[in-house]
């Protein structure tokens, strides 16, 4: 039988805590993970796909025009086999190398379009016909503040299971009044347009390219 000196008890307690917590940096616990369990890296390319990737749930995200004009709107492909356009996420803190839950990020398509303008996401104004606010392109990266408040989104964990949801509730302007909500896909005339909603968010996963 082995005996252990009381001198070692504090060390054992510390080591036990490290095993339980995996001795990880506190930031690791609120990291957004891709489908392989790896932390999302800032400026890396990912496909943003529906978490429940099956027939009827649609495919990845892309850009298209709702009315034949620019800027293009963000939409979800109808076919599950289509990955859509890759996206890059840029955190509000330029020193962050990973994407964190509930933190402001720019979301940018890594793609070229017929519209000669930026492919970053931004929340548009209220549509005169549908009364909805749609996610559009044209946002630039960075410069957090009142003039760019519509350009910032957040990634949140799905409260009801696997995957993540995208929300619009920017924190980059303390005095700005914004209407927060989930980003969901609205089915209109056979196409799925992303827009602001108070429920039924689009649940997505991130697949690194």
């Amino acid at each position: 039988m082995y005996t252990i000196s009381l001198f070692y008890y504090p060390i054992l307690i510390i080591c036990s805590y490290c095993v339980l917590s995996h001795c990880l940096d506190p930031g690791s616990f609120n990291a957004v993970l891709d489908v392989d369990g790896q932390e999302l890296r800032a400026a890396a390319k990912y496909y943003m796909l529906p978490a429940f990737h099956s027939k009827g749930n649609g495919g990845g995200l892309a850009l298209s025009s709702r009315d034949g004009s620019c800027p293009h709107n963000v939409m979800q492909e109808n076919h599950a086999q289509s990955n859509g356009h890759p996206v890059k996420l840029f955190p509000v803190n330029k020193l962050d190398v990973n994407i964190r839950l509930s933190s402001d990020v720019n979301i940018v398509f890594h793609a070229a379009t017929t519209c000669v303008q930026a492919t970053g996401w931004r929340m548009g104004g209220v549509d005169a016909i549908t009364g909805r606010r749609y996610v559009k392109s044209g946002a630039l990266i960075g410069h957090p503040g009142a003039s760019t408040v519509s350009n910032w989104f957040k990634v949140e964990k799905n409260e009801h299971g696997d995957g993540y949801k995208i929300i619009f509730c920017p924190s980059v302007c303390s005095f700005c009044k914004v209407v927060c909500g989930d980003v969901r896909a609205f089915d209109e005339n056979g196409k799925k347009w992303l827009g602001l909603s108070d429920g039924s968010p689009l649940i997505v996963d991130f697949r690194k390219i």
Side-chain angles (χ1 to χ4, degrees), residues 34-204:
D34 64 20
V35 293
D36 296 316
Q38 301 298 311
E39 295 184 12
L40 256 64
R41 305 286 291 180
K45 289 183 288 186
Y46 296 88
Y47 284 122
M48 195 182 295
L49 302 170
F52 311 105
H53 203 55
S54 61
K55 187 176 181 180
N57 287 333
L61 306 181
L63 285 169
S64 186
S65 176
R66 289 186 67 247
D67 55 9
S69 63
C70 294
H72 285 171
N73 285 52
V74 181
M75 51 87 70
Q76 183 187 9
E77 299 280 10
N78 285 328
H79 301 291
Q81 295 81 8
S82 176
N83 291 328
H85 300 325
V87 298
K88 294 181 176 182
L89 280 70
F90 297 88
V92 65
N93 185 348
K94 294 180 179 180
L95 299 180
D96 286 344
V97 296
N98 296 321
I99 305 300
R100 307 297 180 190
L101 291 169
S102 308
S103 63
D104 290 292
V105 295
N106 292 134
I107 304 176
V108 181
F109 279 118
H110 184 73
T113 71
T114 54
C115 293
V116 186
Q117 57 189 160
T119 55
W121 293 20
R122 64 180 179 86
M123 185 60 66
V126 177
D127 185 85
I129 298 176
T130 66
R132 292 169 174 164
R133 297 181 66 188
Y134 298 96
V135 182
K136 297 177 176 288
S137 60
L140 298 175
I141 300 170
H143 308 288
S147 62
T148 65
V149 70
S150 296
N151 302 352
W152 299 92
F153 296 81
K154 295 178 181 178
V155 182
E156 297 277 8
K157 192 71 180 151
N158 174 25
E159 305 99 325
H160 307 293
D162 296 332
Y164 299 92
K165 65 178 182 179
I166 307 300
I167 70 167
F168 176 74
C169 198
S171 306
V172 296
C173 177
S174 60
F175 59 86
C176 295
K177 294 182 178 180
V178 297
V179 177
C180 298
D182 298 325
V183 172
R184 67 166 291 181
F186 292 102
D187 199 337
E188 299 176 358
N189 301 318
K191 287 195 173 184
K192 302 176 186 293
W193 303 104
L194 266 60
L196 190 67
S197 169
D198 57 2
S200 302
L202 177 66
I203 305 301
V204 299

Side-chain angles (χ1 to χ4, degrees), residues 4-5 7-18:
I4 301 176
S5 170
F7 172 79
Y8 292 103
Y9 282 156
I11 297 175
L12 289 174
I13 292 172
I14 293 172
C15 290
S16 298
Y17 175 79
C18 284

